């Protein structure tokens, strides 16, 4: 027979700084009891030797090799600049 959990839902709501109506408190108390009952079910299993995991399946980063590639020439980089001075971008003054 499942264990009945005694939870003061109003105290939990106060800790979370929530104001609940009586209907909300009853609904949340029922949901929380269901969650705790499910956890009780899980504690019945022998999990010795089972390593904790964050995902059910292994997760791998798929990264490409870091290879140098040719970049823009200085002229190509400055070709669309609205204003330029010699070999630099010219922008409006930012700090007054």
């Amino acid at each position: 027979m499942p264990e009945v959990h005694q939870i003061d839902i109003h105290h939990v709501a106060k800790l979370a700084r929530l104001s609940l109506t009586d209907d909300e408190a009853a609904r949340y108390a029922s949901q929380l009891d269901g969650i705790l009952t499910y956890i009780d079910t899980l504690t019945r299993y022998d999990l010795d030797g089972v390593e904790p995991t964050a995902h059910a399946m292994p997760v791998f980063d798929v990264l490409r090799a870091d290879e140098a590639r040719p970049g823009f020439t200085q002229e190509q980089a400055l070709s669309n600049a609205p204003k330029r001075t010699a070999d630099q971008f010219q922008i409006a003054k930012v700090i007054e």
Side-chain angles (χ1 to χ4, degrees):
M1 180 164 175
E3 179 183 337
V4 176
H5 301 93
Q6 297 297 323
I7 303 166
D8 184 358
I9 199 70
H10 290 288
H11 178 68
V12 174
K14 182 180 175 185
L15 292 174
R17 297 184 180 186
L18 299 173
S19 58
L20 300 177
T21 65
D22 290 336
D23 291 339
E24 290 172 329
R27 184 175 62 223
Y28 294 146
S30 173
Q31 291 174 356
L32 190 54
D33 185 61
I35 292 167
L36 294 175
T37 301
Y38 181 69
I39 290 172
D40 286 341
T41 302
L42 294 176
T43 60
R44 293 184 202 145
Y45 294 102
D46 178 24
L47 299 177
D48 290 336
V50 177
E51 292 190 31
T53 59
H55 297 280
M57 300 296 293
V59 177
F60 300 100
D61 288 335
V62 180
L63 301 173
R64 63 173 170 76
D66 191 14
E67 298 172 2
R69 295 184 288 175
F72 292 122
T73 65
Q74 187 173 21
E75 189 56 42
Q76 289 172 325
L78 292 169
S79 66
N80 288 328
K83 291 185 179 179
R84 63 190 259 191
T85 301
D87 60 349
Q88 300 174 353
F89 292 99
Q90 182 179 351
I91 61 170
K93 186 175 181 180
V94 181
I95 302 174
E96 294 189 31

